Amino acid sequence: MSQVKAYGAEANDADLKQLDIKRREILPNDIHIEIDYCGVCHSDIHQVRNDWKNSKYPVIPGHEIIGHVVAVGKEVTKFKEGQKVGVGCMVDSCQNCEACDEGLEQYCENGMTATYNSPDKHLGGHTFGGYSEEVVVDEKFVLNVSEKLDIKAVAPLLCAGITTWSPLKQWNVQKGDKVGVVGLGGLGHMGIKFAHALGAHVVMITTSPNKSEDAERLGADEVLVSKNDEDMKKHANSFDFILNTVPVGHDVNPYLNLLKRDKTMCLVGAIEPLKGVNGGALIVKRKRLAGSLIGGIQETQDMLDFCGEHNIVSDVEMIDMQNINTAFERIVSSDVKYRFVIDMQSLKN
Ligand code: NAP
Ligand code: ZN
């Protein structure tokens, strides 16, 4: 076991501060990673603040991890020392259920092990995430990253990337489809980039008119301000797919009105009760409201490979670990362009 520096919160109303945590000795299939960068996801804030009522303290967040391999277990074949690698939202699953067999580890019937805040099968207690110097992970849950991309801007692909990629693929977004992305934050900006790369006609649906120019630069063909009822009416019944990244329970009915008959809106943000969904909005045009959780390991690798081929990375603002509490406040007030990434070197200072 080794002791490493980390940043975390000891209570739901506490700021994050430096703490010491333990990492396990490497097992035969483990990769020991020194963390270089870690993205800051809105989920990190939900977990620190116990919004989902399941947090265990201390919470050491972070599931958009980029690092380099410092040691490998004796049975590891896929990775070698010095290599740049990624770790996303999961570090283990049962490997033995229908979901795992289908490469859908995120839906593991026996419960996947999330990178932080899941029971730790090795050390007891719960898992600790990437706001730390080092992590030890089974090689099955370690991803290859393209070394030709700007590696710090690859970090957010490990969560924001796969969470938006997976539903776009699942609902088979095609060239020419009219696709709406609701919420221009970390997930939303990747949603725009991917939908654009897949050839869709992309409409950014936002509460912030001042993000319009950025939305277009990121690949949106149109911007729809959701607070403008007239414009919302003009787009009624016209979308083939909507990806909704709004981070809180909200009124989904205005967005459902935008879908064509038989089309789907997929939620990835609001992991909590929604305001009253109007059954009529679904029934009269056979519309669908769905959800999606991150993506499987193979799918994550496919997404990373696609990004390598198409030169896709996140738009990031680099921060030092010591500035994390301010970054959290800015994310909550929708003031992030478009993902904070922590330079882990700062934790050594
Ligand atoms: P983020 O960077 O804060 O972006 C969310 C955006 O949603 C905001 O920038 C804002 O965009 C819009 N928004 C915020 N509050 C809103 C409201 N009340 N009504 C309408 N729009 C609102 O967050 P993120 O990191 O992208 O994460 C988004 C959500 O996805 C979080 O809840 C996170 O926990 C969740 N998540 C889920 C998964 C999954 O597997 N399903 C994975 C990762 C994250 P505009 O200014 O453009 O309106
Ligand atoms: Zn995340």
Side-chain angles (χ1 to χ4, degrees):
M1 244 178 352
S2 54
Q3 181 159 304
V4 303
K5 279 193 223 166
Y7 242 69
E10 291 184 308
N12 68 343
D13 55 357
D15 276 352
L16 281 76
K17 62 172 190 185
Q18 194 177 310
L19 300 166
D20 289 327
I21 58 165
K22 297 209 167 21
R23 295 300 190 190
R24 67 176 183 259
E25 289 303 321
I26 54 170
L27 299 167
N29 294 104
D30 279 345
I31 314 285
H32 191 149
I33 299 163
E34 196 171 299
I35 301 175
D36 296 311
Y37 302 107
C38 186
V40 181
C41 179
H42 203 123
S43 303
D44 299 349
I45 303 171
H46 288 311
Q47 294 270 19
V48 162
R49 300 189 174 172
N50 199 20
D51 290 343
W52 301 330
K53 310 288 176 229
N54 63 359
S55 299
K56 297 174 203 80
Y57 293 91
V59 175
I60 310 289
H63 56 206
E64 295 184 336
I65 298 169
I66 290 286
H68 58 276
V69 177
V70 288
V72 299
K74 57 181 189 297
E75 283 166 30
V76 167
T77 51
K78 278 176 21 198
F79 299 96
K80 56 179 194 307
E81 235 177 89
Q83 190 177 344
K84 295 272 183 205
V85 291
V87 177
C89 305
M90 298 182 280
V91 288
D92 207 355
S93 71
C94 84
Q95 301 290 309
N96 199 24
C97 68
E98 223 175 281
C100 287
D101 284 349
E102 287 181 44
L104 298 169
E105 299 88 350
Q106 74 275 34
Y107 304 118
C108 174
E109 282 148 34
N110 298 302
M112 56 100 158
T113 305
T115 305
Y116 62 89
N117 228 342
S118 270
D120 186 324
K121 291 180 192 168
H122 303 278
L123 296 181
H126 57 278
T127 51
F128 295 134
Y131 293 8
S132 58
E133 291 176 302
E134 296 168 23
V135 66
V136 178
V137 182
D138 186 294
E139 68 171 328
K140 284 199 193 77
F141 289 81
V142 178
L143 286 309
N144 273 302
V145 292
S146 165
E147 303 221 6
K148 57 176 211 240
L149 296 175
D150 177 6
I151 208 73
K152 56 187 184 299
V154 171
L157 301 177
L158 276 310
C159 173
I162 184 59
T163 302
T164 49
W165 172 262
S166 182
L168 292 170
K169 296 305 268 184
Q170 176 66 21
W171 278 276
N172 200 19
V173 164
Q174 300 283 326
K175 195 169 183 331
D177 284 350
K178 182 170 172 181
V179 171
V181 177
V182 187
L184 182 42
L187 267 55
H189 95 290
M190 290 313 305
I192 300 179
K193 289 188 188 209
F194 286 143
H196 175 75
L198 294 170
H201 178 89
V202 187
V203 183
M204 182 66 231
I205 305 171
T206 179
T207 60
S208 310
N210 62 343
K211 292 183 184 171
S212 297
E213 253 178 54
D214 282 349
E216 283 167 5
R217 177 179 54 77
L218 292 163
D221 298 284
E222 290 180 68
V223 175
L224 171 55
V225 177
S226 52
K227 291 173 180 160
N228 183 326
D229 292 342
E230 272 310 300
D231 285 350
M232 288 291 275
K233 264 191 212 141
K234 280 186 207 148
H235 284 268
N237 301 315
S238 69
F239 282 81
D240 294 291
F241 181 68
I242 297 177
L243 179 64
N244 181 329
T245 77
V246 176
V248 289
H250 60 286
D251 182 3
V252 294
N253 298 301
Y255 304 115
L256 289 173
N257 288 337
L258 298 172
L259 289 172
K260 282 184 193 161
R261 171 175 51 77
D262 283 325
K263 301 301 182 186
T264 299
M265 174 161 81
C266 177
L267 301 176
V268 289
I271 308 184
E272 58 189 40
L274 300 170
K275 292 198 179 135
V277 179
N278 179 356
L282 299 171
I283 290 168
V284 298
K285 287 197 188 294
R286 205 161 53 184
K287 294 179 183 181
R288 295 163 193 165
L289 180 59
S292 180
L293 180 67
I294 50 175
I297 291 298
Q298 185 56 51
E299 192 177 32
T300 305
Q301 191 61 62
D302 294 345
M303 176 274 310
L304 288 167
D305 295 346
F306 181 90
C307 290
E309 280 157 35
H310 293 80
N311 215 10
I312 295 175
V313 290
S314 287
D315 285 29
V316 301
E317 183 177 336
M318 300 305 296
I319 57 167
D320 286 345
M321 191 70 259
Q322 294 77 3
N323 298 121
I324 189 66
N325 294 301
T326 314
F328 271 22
E329 289 311 323
R330 281 188 51 198
I331 293 173
V332 170
S333 55
S334 300
D335 175 25
V336 50
K337 292 188 171 182
Y338 280 92
R339 199 58 140 185
F340 290 114
V341 171
I342 307 159
D343 183 344
M344 277 305 158
Q345 201 58 39
S346 59
L347 193 50
K348 299 197 187 303
N349 297 335

